[in-house]
Amino acid sequence: MPISSLTPGDLRFTLDPAQLGFADTAELLRDPLPWIGQERAETAARFGLTMEQPGYNLFVLGEVGSGRSSLLQQLMQTVAASRAVPPDLCYLNNFDTPERPRALRMPAGQGRQLRQLMAALVKSLQVEVPKRLEGQEFKSGSERIEKAYLAQEAVAYAELTGFAEQRHFALRREDGHLVFTLRGEDGQALTEKEAAELPRERRAEFDRAEHELHGEINRFLEKTGAMERVMNEARAELRREVVRPMLEHELQAIRVGLKKQIKDSVKLGVWLDEVERDVLENVELFEVFEPDDESRREALEATLARYRVNLVVDNEGLSGAPVIVENNPLFRALFGSIEYQAENDVLVTDFSRIRAGSLLKAHGGFLMLHLRDLVADPLVWEKLRRFLRNGRLQIEEPGTMSSSMGAVSLEPQAVDVDVKIVLIGAVEHFYELQEGDPEFARHFRVKVDFADSFIATEATRRATGIFVAQACRRLALPHFSAAAVARLVEETHREADDQTRQSAIFARTEALVTESAALCHAGLVGVAEVEAALAARTARHDAVAERLRESVAEGDRLITLQGSRVGQINALTQIDLGDTRFGFPVRVTARTFAGHQGVVNIEREVELSGPIHDKGVLILASYLSALFGQLAPLALSGSIVFEQEYNGVEGDSASCAELYVLLSSLSGLPLRQGIAVTGAVNQHGEVLPVGGLNEKIEGWFRVCERAGLDGSHAVLIPERNRRHLMLDRDVVDAVSRGLFQVHAVAHVLDGIELLTGNPAGGPEVADSVLARAGQTLRDYRQACRRFGRRAGR
């Protein structure tokens, strides 16, 4: 296929604003924004979000800026709006085992209602219980109980007194103690001296009587102690009886207030019964006490705290299922936490310090996470794997295990969590996960693959206008004219390096919209503002490229732009700095001589080339051998080098240029230095497409432009790259004025004709490039044979 000289119309795609069907983006505000070019991803996402079966979580693949997060979030909101509002989640005190708080799910809004009702109950108890315990009913009942006790105690005391008198002892009460004294015949109390002077038999008799009295006193104390316990129990029962009606009324009001049927209604009823029992068991704490009685105050506060409701998930006000985007998935933020407080060198906590994480808050809805955030923390990753395995979440606080302080353990009741996880990651992350952790991957059966580019149509270009319109409304920017939108669409083709495809990385489009609008001072944003924004962006990032072009102009980098040279050519490379990429020429030279080393890649020898470049050189050598192998085994030693390249070479886009310099060196025919070359070659001599084509051409153009364009400058590109051309307008203009040319070639030998001015021919065609090269190889072969014979002597 002969070389094609491309026309200006071949060099870029230009969009007529009239084809867009609107005058400015204000007309598009009512149009819904589609998933531009992402139909496959949208279908997969809708399927995954509406699939109710477990294991159908979503793994979203795509480049940053492709809309993978924002579009999924919008779709999650849409699907969630049609779902039922999930229940609230409360944690309650466990009266039997406080270290294991109970979980309670309630219809949305009733968790807050229960919390308010229990708070009102606590206030009511603090007011009503003391009032009832100070009331006449309790006082009268308490007096009856005490009177009955005193009557029984008086009878027992009279019996004890009679027992003592029979044995000549006088019994009296003194400061709460029983005191007895020995009496004489006259009934008077004996002194110690008088008692000591009594006859021995009499003293022995009194000692026996005293021992009997001690036993009777002990029996009296036991009897009255039992009476006192009965009295206290009676008083306690009286307190309960006085308070119970009020308490039952309050709790019944709570039950009635929560009329909706709930899944955990039995659990709630049991807990309210336990509250009633606990209040009645501790009712004496509500009795009026002195203001300075701190121990009583603390005991009452601790008791009342058990009746609080810890509402960890409050779905009051939701109109559908929750949608949560967790951008900081630390362990606590994702799985919940238990707060601790240091008291006397011990970490203490209770049910009221349990906090919900994103997983609990997203129950019944959707949770978006980024894979890179998760794998950065092994604890988070392992906990998430366990959760996906069984669907139950246990809130824990792993930090307390490594604390130097003792800690009160707490094990909240685990709860089932029904949540659809949307995991955002790169393509390589998805396949690494499939291979490295298949158990985890099987929980993400829905792959939502965002394309980085898509085939352009009238619909996608109009949709781009809708995207611009909504960006203007969201960011409060002036609207864009149709011509400005057409220029933005052209830039999406440029970003995709394709005249038939648009880039799907709309984050860059939005950035350009913002930057263009900033240059608009009144009215609509036009083409001039878009062009100015693009120029300003280039100026901000072009320092490195500009310095390299200066180094050529100053003679530091040896790039020949005129004339012809043997074994020397200008290849085109692309430099990617992350924030920008640009093309730049690099001189490639070759030397050939008789020998048996073959083609030597000097970059490879010094470990400055990558595997793809090494592969390209080996393919080149294979093709060269195929061209001339029929003559005789090659006796060739040749070296190829990228001049003044010290940072390494990768890629095979210079393999055409490398072949040309080898053929030039072998044939002795000079190559035109005003024509730069890019393209890869296969073993059959076909020129393969390469990447970064526009940047490479423009990089060469800028260098030539600085030196002065005279019509001799051109580039030679692969024919298969024609549709990838989206060159800057100044390059297109130079081509239209005949100052610069772009040639396309399908077979590598067609390019050698352009570069040398001689026909490629074949090894047997006189004066052709291949014939000259073939003759040189024969000469090399003969030289090697002569050298071998001399060496044999």
Side-chain angles (χ1 to χ4, degrees):
M1 180 179 179
I3 289 179
S4 302
S5 294
L6 305 187
T7 66
D10 296 326
L11 302 183
R12 69 175 288 118
F13 164 76
T14 302
L15 178 61
D16 183 359
Q19 296 179 359
L20 293 175
F22 58 86
D24 61 72
T25 55
E27 301 175 14
L28 306 175
L29 288 175
R30 294 185 179 180
D31 293 359
L33 178 63
W35 288 36
I36 309 174
Q38 303 290 1
E39 292 78 10
R40 184 199 308 274
E42 183 180 15
T43 300
R46 288 187 182 277
F47 168 76
L49 293 178
T50 55
M51 187 67 171
E52 299 294 338
Q53 298 301 319
Y56 284 86
N57 297 298
L58 285 69
F59 196 112
V60 184
L61 299 75
E63 297 295 326
V64 175
S66 62
R68 56 184 186 173
S69 298
S70 57
L71 290 175
L72 256 298
Q73 189 173 349
Q74 292 173 14
L75 184 58
M76 288 157 62
Q77 296 283 4
T78 301
V79 176
S82 62
R83 289 193 170 191
V85 179
D88 298 337
L89 176 63
C90 307
Y91 271 100
L92 310 175
N93 177 59
N94 188 333
F95 293 95
D96 296 329
T97 52
E99 67 275 9
R100 295 184 178 179
R102 296 174 178 174
L104 177 70
R105 290 202 185 276
M106 306 188 69
Q110 286 202 18
R112 183 181 299 186
Q113 186 179 356
L114 177 61
R115 182 177 63 183
Q116 294 170 347
L117 291 171
M118 292 306 297
L121 174 65
V122 168
K123 290 182 179 179
S124 179
L125 291 176
Q126 291 176 288
V127 173
E128 294 297 326
V129 173
K131 185 185 296 184
R132 289 176 178 269
L133 295 181
E134 290 291 311
Q136 187 59 42
E137 179 183 357
F138 178 75
K139 287 183 178 180
S140 299
S142 181
E143 289 174 356
R144 287 195 301 272
I145 294 170
E146 185 175 4
K147 185 176 181 181
Y149 165 74
L150 291 176
Q152 292 177 344
E153 195 265 352
V155 171
Y157 185 73
E159 292 176 352
L160 178 63
T161 302
F163 184 88
E165 289 177 349
Q166 290 177 2
R167 288 158 180 77
H168 303 286
F169 285 99
L171 186 67
R172 69 179 186 280
R173 290 174 174 170
E174 188 175 301
D175 296 332
H177 299 282
L178 292 174
V179 179
F180 58 89
T181 55
L182 184 61
R183 290 182 176 182
E185 294 296 336
D186 56 358
Q188 297 297 318
L190 298 177
T191 63
E192 289 185 10
K193 182 179 179 181
E194 293 173 340
E197 293 176 349
L198 291 173
R200 180 180 300 174
E201 294 81 4
R202 189 66 171 165
R203 287 201 307 272
E205 182 182 343
F206 284 146
D207 288 342
R208 287 193 299 272
E210 181 179 355
H211 180 74
E212 292 174 354
L213 181 57
H214 275 292
E216 191 65 20
I217 289 174
N218 288 334
R219 285 189 289 274
F220 169 79
L221 293 176
E222 292 177 0
K223 187 176 182 179
T224 56
M227 294 177 185
E228 188 174 1
R229 285 193 296 273
V230 170
M231 178 188 70
N232 291 334
E233 290 175 0
R235 279 181 170 172
E237 182 59 30
L238 177 61
R239 292 189 190 94
R240 290 191 287 268
E241 292 301 321
V242 170
V243 171
R244 183 176 284 113
M246 179 275 298
L247 182 58
E248 289 178 347
H249 175 76
E250 295 284 346
L251 293 175
Q252 183 61 25
I254 293 175
R255 290 185 172 94
V256 173
L258 303 172
K259 293 180 180 179
K260 294 181 181 178
Q261 181 67 27
I262 63 174
K263 178 180 179 181
D264 290 343
S265 57
V266 174
K267 185 185 294 186
L268 175 61
V270 171
W271 185 75
L272 291 175
D273 291 341
E274 291 177 349
V275 169
E276 178 180 357
R277 184 173 65 252
D278 192 70
V279 170
L280 295 177
E281 288 177 353
N282 295 279
V283 68
E284 69 279 359
L285 294 176
F286 291 87
E287 290 182 327
V288 178
F289 52 85
E290 295 298 327
D292 58 350
D293 192 346
E294 290 297 327
S295 61
R296 280 282 301 280
R297 185 188 308 278
E298 292 175 359
L300 179 59
E301 290 177 353
T303 299
L304 293 174
R306 298 200 290 262
Y307 312 144
R308 293 199 299 262
V309 174
N310 182 9
L311 179 59
V312 296
V313 177
D314 184 4
N315 288 323
E316 172 80 10
L318 285 184
S319 57
V323 174
I324 295 179
V325 178
E326 182 54 77
N327 291 314
N328 187 33
L330 300 177
F331 192 95
R332 288 183 166 192
L334 187 57
F335 303 111
S337 61
I338 303 171
E339 296 177 354
Y340 283 80
Q341 181 177 351
E343 292 184 6
N344 300 323
D345 295 330
V346 176
L347 295 175
V348 298
T349 188
D350 59 33
F351 76 98
S352 65
R353 297 177 183 271
I354 301 171
R355 301 291 180 260
S358 300
L359 272 171
L360 280 178
K361 294 175 182 177
H363 173 69
F366 308 104
L367 173 63
M368 178 180 287
L369 300 167
H370 286 262
L371 180 60
R372 288 188 62 183
D373 297 335
L374 298 177
V375 298
D377 189 337
L379 278 177
V380 170
W381 183 251
E382 185 57 35
K383 178 84 172 180
L384 183 61
R385 291 177 77 253
R386 292 199 303 269
F387 166 73
L388 289 172
R389 188 182 304 130
N390 56 33
R392 290 180 64 80
L393 182 62
Q394 172 72 62
I395 298 178
E396 56 188 340
E397 191 66 30
T400 58
M401 299 177 64
S402 58
S403 174
S404 58
M405 302 175 65
V408 175
S409 63
L410 201 66
E411 187 180 340
Q413 182 180 2
V415 292
D416 294 327
V417 180
D418 178 17
V419 61
K420 183 80 70 174
I421 296 178
V422 177
L423 193 58
I424 308 294
V427 174
E428 58 270 20
H429 295 154
F430 175 78
Y431 293 105
E432 287 173 3
L433 195 63
Q434 291 286 337
E435 181 177 357
D437 196 346
E439 180 187 359
F440 184 91
R442 73 182 181 86
H443 296 290
F444 291 85
R445 295 175 178 169
V446 181
K447 181 173 76 169
V448 183
D449 196 353
F450 275 74
D452 56 3
S453 68
F454 52 86
I455 295 176
T457 63
E458 289 186 6
T460 63
R461 290 165 185 152
R462 179 179 175 83
T464 304
I466 298 173
F467 173 83
V468 175
Q470 296 201 6
C472 292
R473 177 170 57 186
R474 186 177 71 256
L475 301 174
L477 302 176
H479 281 281
F480 281 57
S481 67
V485 173
R487 184 64 187 88
L488 292 173
V489 170
E490 291 175 8
E491 191 62 22
T492 65
H493 283 270
R494 163 68 181 229
E495 290 170 358
D497 287 328
D498 200 313
Q499 296 181 15
T500 64
R501 301 181 71 86
Q502 289 181 250
S503 169
I505 312 302
F506 278 93
R508 291 198 287 260
T509 303
E510 183 173 303
L512 183 56
V513 167
T514 305
E515 294 165 18
S516 302
L519 300 174
C520 180
H521 302 293
L524 297 173
V525 179
V527 176
E529 285 81 10
V530 178
E531 294 285 5
L534 287 168
R537 179 184 293 181
T538 300
R540 290 195 299 270
H541 298 275
D542 199 39
V544 176
E546 178 63 23
R547 183 67 193 97
L548 287 174
R549 291 191 290 269
E550 290 174 353
S551 69
V552 174
E554 295 165 356
D556 296 332
R557 284 186 173 266
L558 303 181
I559 300 294
T560 304
L561 303 177
Q562 301 288 344
S564 299
R565 299 286 179 87
V566 174
Q568 176 179 309
I569 200 169
N570 292 318
L572 297 178
T573 64
Q574 178 186 248
I575 300 174
D576 192 340
L577 300 179
D579 64 329
T580 185
R581 60 178 185 172
F582 58 91
F584 193 74
V586 59
R587 176 184 288 180
V588 179
T589 60
R591 299 295 299 271
T592 57
F593 42 89
H596 297 285
Q597 287 183 300
V599 178
V600 175
N601 173 15
I602 293 180
E603 270 72 27
R604 179 183 180 185
E605 296 300 314
V606 296
E607 298 182 350
L608 278 178
S609 66
I612 299 177
H613 180 253
D614 294 339
K615 177 183 177 182
V617 174
L618 294 173
I619 292 174
L620 178 157
S622 174
Y623 176 65
L624 194 66
S625 298
L627 275 178
F628 300 102
Q630 75 276 15
L631 301 177
L634 295 184
L636 169 68
S637 290
S639 61
I640 301 174
V641 67
F642 282 68
E643 303 285 356
Q644 295 182 285
E645 179 55 58
Y646 311 109
N647 296 317
V649 178
E650 179 60 314
D652 60 357
S653 64
S655 57
C656 280
E658 292 168 325
L659 178 62
Y660 290 147
V661 292
L662 281 171
L663 290 176
S664 173
S665 179
L666 289 170
S667 66
L669 295 172
L671 302 173
R672 293 173 58 184
Q673 299 300 293
I675 302 178
V677 175
T678 185
V681 63
N682 67 13
Q683 293 192 99
H684 300 285
E686 296 170 319
V687 181
L688 306 178
V690 296
L693 184 69
N694 295 296
E695 289 78 8
K696 291 175 180 178
I697 296 174
E698 290 164 4
W700 172 243
F701 175 82
R702 306 288 176 221
V703 170
C704 297
E705 185 182 40
R706 183 182 285 265
L709 296 170
D710 58 9
S712 66
H713 302 108
V715 291
L716 183 62
I717 67 171
E719 176 70 26
R720 293 171 178 83
N721 269 128
R722 287 183 64 159
R723 68 181 178 87
H724 301 131
L725 290 170
M726 280 297 298
L727 294 172
D728 284 345
R729 295 186 184 278
D730 54 351
V731 180
V732 177
D733 181 62
V735 172
S736 65
R737 291 189 289 132
L739 299 176
F740 191 77
Q741 287 84 39
V742 179
H743 304 291
V745 62
H747 195 277
V748 69
L749 293 182
D750 294 328
I752 197 69
E753 295 184 2
L754 174 69
L755 293 167
T756 63
N758 286 50
E764 307 301 331
V765 179
D767 207 33
S768 67
V769 176
L770 295 186
R772 286 171 173 264
Q775 184 58 50
T776 301
L777 289 171
R778 291 189 189 94
D779 295 341
Y780 287 169
R781 185 65 181 171
Q782 292 176 2
C784 288
R785 286 176 177 175
R786 289 195 300 272
F787 177 78
R789 287 196 296 270
R790 289 197 300 271
R793 297 195 189 101

